[in-house]
Amino acid sequence: MPADSQPASREKPSPAAAPAAPGAGLSAVQRALRKLGLVRDIDFALYLPMRYEDETRVVRLSDVRDGEMAQIEVAVTSNEVVFRPRRQLIVTVDDGSDTCQLRFFNFYPSQQKQLAVGARVRVRGEVRGGFLGRTMMHPTVKAAGTELPEALTPVYSTIAGLAQPALRREVRSGLARARLDETLPAASDWQPAWDLRRSLNFLHYPAPDVAMATLEDHSHPAWQRIKAEELLAQQLSQMQARNERAAQRAPVLAREAGKESLAEQLLAVLPFALTGAQRRVGEEIGRDLAREVPMHRLLQGDVGSGKTVVAALAAALCIDAGHQCALMAPTEILASQHFGKLVDWLDPLLRSRGLRVAWLTGSQKKKERDEMSAAVESGEAALVIGTHAVISEKVRFKKLALAIIDEQHRFGVAQRLALRGKADAGLEPHLLMMSATPIPRTLAMSYYADLDVSTLDELPPGRTPVVTKLVADHRRDEVVERIQAQLQQGRQVYWVCPLIEESEAVDLRNATTTRDELADALGEAVGVGLLHSRMPTAEKQSVMAEFSAGRLHVLVSTTVIEVGVDVPNASLMVIEHAERFGLSQLHQLRGRVGRGAAASACVLLYSANEGGRVGEAARARLRAMAETSDGFEIARRDLEIRGPGEFLGARQSGAPLLRFADLATDTHLLDWARELAPRMLAEHPQLAQRHIDRWLGTRAEYLKA
Ligand code: ADP
Ligand code: MG
């Protein structure tokens, strides 16, 4: 085996990232470096500055205009600590052309000493004009007369415990050590003008005469090269994952002859006919399941588009073929809410075949769980529903062939591996992921190159669109009137409180206060419930059950109800501090109403910040909510407001994002990468592997997940 084919050992851990002695703990700096993902030399080399400082020149103070950043060399003429209006060090300096005051609010004795009268220092900062003469606030101070650097000084994004100068040193040495040999075969339409080594050296230490705008907008040839490399790595890794999957085998789920089909029976008991989109997607899934290559499909459909029925249909196809299906949701409350109906439909049909549905959750009593596990192991439980506990625990399936995951855009590595062990030896289960936060098709194609995507682009008939109203927070009273009007018609209401990320305790307090206030305002006859993520699962479930049964009329909650909850009698959704929510989250929340035949409304309460204004992006989000209720249009606007990196980031956890390239604007580079990647995998597999390893390293596994 040529050395070339062992990529994992190629990129060595950087000495900076390794403990001083084997077995020794990590230092604070090492821990900080790891947090930034800086482990191997190449990681340091690819850690690019967010901006630069120009320390290459010393200028005359008299040539500097107010408001400019400048580096000057000066003599200290006075130095005093004053206490009014607050304690500060004021130093006067003179460079022969003009004088200037340096001010420090926080300073060490060592700084005071460095700035003793008569000292010569090199000072860098923003020069401000002013009533009392020119000033620099908190400039950086160095000894004068040392050699000036030839390149701009990089400024890296850092975290607590890792000072900029230390990080700079680590990156510099990582860059010097990293192997930056060529991995791109000379091919395809676009030829990068710069090679990798030159590009990285330049981006860390640009020549001072560079057109700064080309670094900022990433249009510089060095940036083009880096972005092309990154996009290529992403495409290679996903195409590789797809190829690997093509070589894997899954159970072929074809209907066993001679039995009445569960799928047909299911369609007969449904109280409605499938939409065209549901039928089409059902067929797509049916075709996948009948193949011996594992299905790896994302089903996207707006809230309320009817994904659950499609899941039930897929499960029926699997069970018809004599196998087991696992159905999972991120939380217990969701699992029970989501799949309640599906169980109603399927369980009687299964019972008549001597089969059943099993529940598996973390909070289950041991006795019940043991009983369920036994049913799973014997194969009697043809359908197993629950949280991810279904696959991550020591549950043994008799014949698992299909795993369906709701409200998940992507399945994590650990979960995928757990799944692998659940099917028959040597076989991989089919995988269906369902997501209510659609990703625009073009983005899905390049971002999820390793997934097949099905889309429910049609809502079931008879829905009345939800009317969305923006209401300023000081008009809360009117909202209470609206609530009363709905309650009088026998309808129910959700009231969602904002998430305050720092503390669940604060969230709870806010939600509790709101509940109390609403209970006061609405009077005793109205049942106002509270749902919060801190509550024990059993309590959450009982509150949900009370609300579903109509015994609670108003449900105040934090965002626990965001996904999946289905109470068709609820006709009004109030979202407090709507300006703090993300667009797709608002859309998800709004999707909790308008599920029945009644006309429904969503009130977005917003409050302006201290300046009396709602931020630009927040305003764009609220406007989008008022203007459209189409999930795909919402996704498109969300993408526009946030840009692809953040957009996908909000939809992913654990998977790496593109750090440099932008799928929306770097289309020519993306086209190049998509064209080159399959050829590179076929003709230069070792270069391809090296390239993936260089860019994604251990994270490559995540992208494939
Ligand atoms: P989601 O895609 O958000 O998971 P659900 O599967 O919960 O949507 O479906 C939303 C509602 O629409 C449910 O009450 C479901 O029973 C109903 N539904 C699904 N498909 C149809 C259909 N073809 N015709 C009428 N109602 C449907
Ligand atoms: Mg759903």
Side-chain angles (χ1 to χ4, degrees):
M1 195 187 266
D4 227 35
S5 61
Q6 291 180 334
S9 60
R10 271 199 107 82
E11 301 297 349
K12 296 203 182 55
S14 180
L26 294 177
S27 71
V29 167
Q30 286 164 344
R31 268 199 302 277
L33 291 172
R34 275 182 191 219
K35 247 191 209 153
L36 293 174
L38 303 178
V39 178
R40 308 167 305 162
D41 288 334
I42 189 69
D43 300 329
F44 287 87
L46 296 176
Y47 195 69
L48 294 174
M50 35 171 207
R51 59 186 178 83
Y52 304 93
E53 283 170 359
D54 188 353
E55 296 177 329
T56 62
R57 293 175 308 148
V58 167
V59 294
R60 286 156 50 90
L61 246 182
S62 57
D63 292 339
V64 181
R65 275 179 308 219
D66 290 347
E68 273 181 351
M69 286 295 289
Q71 181 164 257
I72 50 178
E73 285 201 352
V74 291
V76 176
T77 54
S78 80
N79 171 325
E80 60 173 338
V81 176
V82 300
F83 292 87
R84 240 164 265 243
R86 49 188 274 221
R87 182 169 179 270
Q88 55 182 302
L89 172 64
I90 301 183
V91 176
T92 314
V93 296
D94 187 338
D95 78 344
S97 75
D98 199 355
T99 64
C100 179
Q101 264 193 356
L102 316 182
R103 281 172 188 261
F104 303 85
F105 289 114
N106 303 303
F107 54 94
Y108 297 106
S110 61
Q111 263 172 314
Q112 241 173 309
K113 230 167 98 191
Q114 185 185 28
L115 290 163
V117 174
R120 284 196 55 80
V121 286
R122 185 182 293 164
V123 177
R124 188 173 181 283
E126 186 190 327
V127 178
R128 296 194 201 161
F131 187 60
L132 298 170
R134 312 183 92 183
T135 318
M136 281 184 175
M137 305 296 290
H138 284 271
T140 54
V141 181
K142 293 179 178 172
T146 53
E147 209 180 322
L148 290 166
E150 281 170 16
L152 300 182
T153 307
V155 180
Y156 300 99
S157 157
T158 188
I159 52 176
L162 187 58
Q164 190 63 231
L167 179 55
R168 261 180 210 146
R169 272 195 306 277
E170 300 295 356
V171 172
R172 182 186 281 274
S173 60
L175 175 63
R177 275 192 310 267
R179 285 190 46 175
L180 299 174
D181 48 326
E182 192 60 65
T183 49
L184 299 193
S188 88
D189 288 356
W190 178 75
Q191 283 300 324
W194 285 37
D195 70 21
L196 181 64
R197 178 183 304 278
R198 179 179 176 207
S199 300
L200 286 176
N201 281 323
F202 184 84
L203 291 176
H204 285 284
Y205 306 106
D209 61 353
V210 65
M212 193 47 79
T214 64
L215 293 187
E216 281 163 6
D217 70 7
H218 293 192
S219 63
H220 191 278
W223 266 121
Q224 295 286 311
R225 169 69 197 232
I226 299 299
K227 291 192 292 186
E229 290 239 341
E230 182 182 43
L231 286 166
L232 181 63
Q234 184 230 18
Q235 292 299 314
L236 283 172
S237 129
Q238 298 206 351
M239 287 182 191
Q240 192 184 48
R242 189 183 270 273
N243 293 346
E244 278 170 18
R245 201 155 18 244
Q248 291 169 346
R249 289 294 163 259
V252 175
L253 300 180
R255 204 181 132 188
E256 287 181 354
K259 281 191 197 164
E260 200 195 349
S261 133
L262 180 61
E264 280 160 19
Q265 287 180 324
L266 169 69
L267 293 181
V269 299
L270 288 179
F272 47 72
L274 295 186
T275 62
Q278 284 168 326
R279 260 202 312 278
R280 175 173 48 76
V281 170
E283 281 161 17
E284 281 168 4
I285 293 171
R287 275 196 296 276
D288 280 1
L289 295 180
R291 296 173 60 207
E292 58 175 0
V293 176
M295 171 168 78
H296 197 64
R297 189 171 281 280
L298 177 72
L299 168 56
Q300 28 179 32
D302 205 352
V303 271
S305 61
K307 293 186 288 295
T308 317
V309 180
V310 176
L313 199 58
L317 291 172
C318 169
I319 296 167
D320 270 334
H323 285 74
Q324 287 172 297
C325 171
L327 190 50
M328 289 160 276
T331 65
E332 292 190 35
I333 189 164
L334 281 181
S336 64
Q337 276 282 318
H338 277 202
F339 305 132
K341 247 187 234 162
L342 183 146
V343 173
D344 290 347
W345 294 325
L346 283 177
D347 197 51
L349 299 176
L350 290 175
R351 296 273 175 186
S352 70
R353 295 156 190 248
L355 300 172
R356 61 179 285 199
V357 177
W359 280 95
L360 279 175
T361 67
S363 69
Q364 221 160 17
K365 297 237 161 59
K366 183 167 182 318
K367 183 161 172 279
E368 188 188 338
R369 180 202 302 244
D370 287 348
E371 189 209 324
M372 294 290 181
S373 300
V376 177
E377 198 166 343
S378 74
E380 183 198 352
L383 180 58
V384 187
I385 300 183
T387 57
H388 293 156
V390 167
I391 50 149
S392 57
E393 301 219 343
K394 294 188 185 96
V395 182
R396 275 200 297 279
F397 284 80
K398 176 120 187 285
K399 252 190 151 181
L400 179 68
L402 170 64
I404 305 175
I405 301 109
D406 200 5
E407 306 299 351
Q408 177 126 10
H409 321 289
R410 209 168 247 278
F411 212 38
V413 180
Q415 292 160 335
R416 207 167 56 103
L417 290 178
L419 253 188
R420 181 167 293 174
K422 302 285 181 194
D424 285 350
L427 294 182
E428 195 81 11
H430 296 281
L431 190 56
L432 178 65
M433 293 159 269
M434 305 199 287
S435 163
T437 41
I439 287 170
R441 189 142 197 107
T442 46
L443 195 55
M445 275 175 40
S446 45
Y447 196 73
Y448 290 148
D450 62 331
L451 283 179
D452 296 310
V453 179
S454 290
T455 304
L456 286 180
D457 49 8
E458 179 187 353
L459 290 182
R463 299 271 165 85
T464 14
V466 178
V467 176
T468 301
K469 286 239 150 49
L470 306 183
V471 177
D473 194 50
H474 61 262
R475 287 166 50 204
R476 264 170 116 92
D477 290 351
E478 294 169 31
V479 179
V480 172
E481 284 167 26
R482 253 175 189 277
I483 294 178
Q484 275 159 334
Q486 290 303 310
L487 295 176
Q488 262 152 27
Q489 293 173 38
R491 305 272 166 218
Q492 289 164 282
V493 177
Y494 292 106
W495 182 296
V496 177
C497 298
L499 195 69
I500 298 160
E501 286 183 11
E502 305 90 73
S503 150
E504 281 196 8
V506 177
D507 278 357
L508 179 56
R509 205 170 333 116
N510 286 349
T512 311
T513 310
T514 305
R515 195 262 316 265
D516 295 347
E517 282 169 7
L518 275 177
D520 276 354
L522 295 170
E524 279 194 356
V526 177
V528 183
L530 177 65
L531 197 64
H532 184 271
S533 56
R534 273 228 172 155
M535 288 160 47
T537 305
E539 201 177 317
K540 270 190 265 183
Q541 263 162 352
S542 92
V543 172
M544 257 339 286
E546 290 286 289
F547 188 66
S548 295
R551 285 189 293 273
L552 283 175
H553 309 103
V554 179
L555 184 63
V556 175
S557 91
T558 54
T559 49
V560 218
I561 58 155
E562 182 183 344
V563 276
V565 172
D566 188 21
V567 178
N569 189 47
S571 59
L572 176 61
M573 161 71 62
V574 181
I575 304 174
E576 214 180 315
H577 279 297
E579 76 283 355
R580 294 192 194 162
F581 290 88
L583 187 47
S584 73
Q585 204 181 13
L586 287 173
H587 180 65
Q588 286 290 314
L589 287 167
R590 178 170 60 182
R592 298 310 109 211
V593 294
R595 302 173 82 81
S600 299
C602 173
V603 171
L604 302 176
L605 276 174
Y606 64 90
S607 46
N609 61 19
E610 282 122 58
R613 288 166 59 85
V614 174
E616 184 84 41
R619 229 171 334 148
R621 290 196 296 269
L622 296 177
R623 204 180 315 124
M625 282 294 290
E627 285 170 7
T628 178
S629 55
D630 172 350
F632 287 89
E633 175 63 16
I634 293 273
R636 204 187 57 71
R637 301 256 197 127
D638 202 13
L639 176 64
E640 210 171 80
I641 296 168
R642 301 203 220 204
E646 244 195 274
F647 174 85
L648 291 167
R651 281 162 178 69
Q652 299 261 130
S653 49
L657 301 168
L658 292 169
R659 287 189 282 163
F660 308 125
D662 181 327
L663 287 172
T665 54
D666 292 321
T667 44
H668 66 297
L669 296 176
L670 179 60
D671 290 344
W672 169 84
R674 288 177 64 169
E675 187 218 297
L676 181 55
R679 278 199 284 140
M680 205 167 150
L681 283 171
E683 294 162 25
H684 309 279
Q686 284 153 17
L687 280 182
Q689 190 56 56
R690 281 249 309 282
H691 189 82
I692 294 172
D693 177 49
R694 170 178 283 172
W695 272 90
L696 303 169
T698 48
R699 298 183 307 166
E701 267 307 306
Y702 285 98
L703 266 184
K704 288 183 201 168

